[in-house]
Amino acid sequence: QYMIKQVKAYLDSAPNATIISVSQNDNYAQCESPAEKAINTAEGTAGGALFRAVNAIADAIKDDYPGVAVDTLAYQWSRPAPKITKPRDNVIIRLCNIECNFAEPLDSPSNAPFQKDMGNWAKISNRTYIWNYITNFGDFIAPFPNYFNLGPDVDYLVSNGVRGIFQEGAYTGAGGEMCELKDYLLGRMMFDPSRNASETIHTFLRGYYGQAAAPHILRYLQIMHESAH
């Protein structure tokens, strides 16, 4: 009831809002009450009680705020989908893939655990968004050779029912390694996931670095990509 009151207060102060986030904290602290642990056990995920609470909040606001969706993270310990509870139509599940191997595309065998969770969410959620990670958070300007995975990853996610993607890059600095290329590529792929990602990269390199330099920059990207395998 406290959370419902807070959510309504926030929405009243922001009448143009269409999404409000009600999520776990960014840590591994979980409620240890017997009642919540029993729910989590029944649901088969440590996020079971959380997802039920989010549904209750979504139910409480749907009539007064029909254009608003309640967004909640499926992140780390809460990433697996629940066995019983199904998200309400006005709930967005924001599935985070921080554990993935980003040297490989998301559809590679090395990312099978994430694929399983995404598939299970797709069975019960009609509004799954992805929180994707596209940079080296330990050193933004250090090479992070995921250039040739970014485009196919967008297509793969959309093909598996994902409705929205948030690409988290070097948000605390002036920019990350090859950030102009990645911004250009992701912007176009998210606008049209059917685009040819390889040709989009070539177009950027020719336009940004010039016709003469583009082949050499492309070879650099290929060498860095190969070094991660």
Side-chain angles (χ1 to χ4, degrees):
Q1 292 304 312
Y2 172 79
M3 290 300 299
I4 291 170
K5 181 179 179 180
Q6 292 296 103
V7 165
K8 289 182 175 181
Y10 275 117
L11 293 177
D12 287 341
S13 69
N16 294 323
T18 57
I19 296 176
I20 185 164
S21 179
V22 181
S23 295
Q24 68 200 69
N25 288 319
D26 193 358
N27 56 42
Y28 287 90
Q30 303 171 34
C31 182
E32 295 296 326
S33 75
E36 288 206 13
K37 292 180 74 172
I39 293 173
N40 294 344
T41 298
E43 293 281 12
T45 172
L50 170 66
F51 299 133
R52 291 190 186 185
V54 169
N55 270 355
I57 294 169
D59 286 341
I61 70 165
K62 66 179 180 180
D63 293 333
D64 293 334
Y65 309 91
V68 174
V70 181
D71 171 287
T72 194
L73 299 177
Y75 175 48
Q76 295 181 332
W77 50 266
S78 68
R79 200 179 81 177
K83 296 178 180 179
I84 303 169
T85 298
K86 179 180 178 180
R88 299 291 193 263
D89 290 341
N90 60 333
V91 168
I92 293 170
I93 298 298
R94 195 174 294 268
L95 180 61
C96 306
N97 61 8
I98 195 169
E99 298 89 355
C100 284
N101 171 15
F102 295 107
E104 300 286 352
L106 291 175
D107 64 353
S108 77
S110 64
N111 289 317
F114 172 75
Q115 297 163 21
K116 177 182 177 181
D117 286 340
M118 184 173 66
N120 287 337
W121 277 113
K123 295 175 183 176
I124 62 173
S125 171
N126 63 359
R127 300 183 75 172
T128 302
Y129 288 16
I130 298 295
W131 189 309
N132 196 30
Y133 302 82
I134 62 169
T135 191
N136 178 355
F137 292 98
D139 188 341
F140 286 142
I141 62 173
F144 195 71
N146 58 346
Y147 330 107
F148 303 111
N149 299 335
L150 295 174
D153 282 350
V154 172
D155 184 47
Y156 169 72
L157 293 171
V158 173
S159 298
N160 281 273
V162 168
R163 300 285 298 277
I165 308 172
F166 171 66
Q167 310 279 10
E168 183 177 359
Y171 68 97
T172 61
E177 179 252 6
M178 298 302 293
C179 63
E180 294 84 4
L181 167 62
K182 293 177 181 180
D183 284 351
Y184 180 89
L185 174 63
L186 288 170
R188 277 150 183 76
M189 292 302 301
M190 291 172 69
F191 185 78
D192 179 8
S194 68
R195 291 179 66 97
N196 185 306
S198 178
E199 181 53 39
T200 302
I201 291 176
H202 292 175
T203 298
F204 174 85
L205 296 181
R206 291 191 296 265
Y208 192 82
Y209 293 103
Q211 292 284 353
H216 303 289
I217 302 298
L218 177 62
R219 183 56 188 146
Y220 163 78
L221 299 179
Q222 291 169 337
I223 291 171
M224 295 305 297
H225 176 79
E226 292 163 4
S227 74
H229 295 76

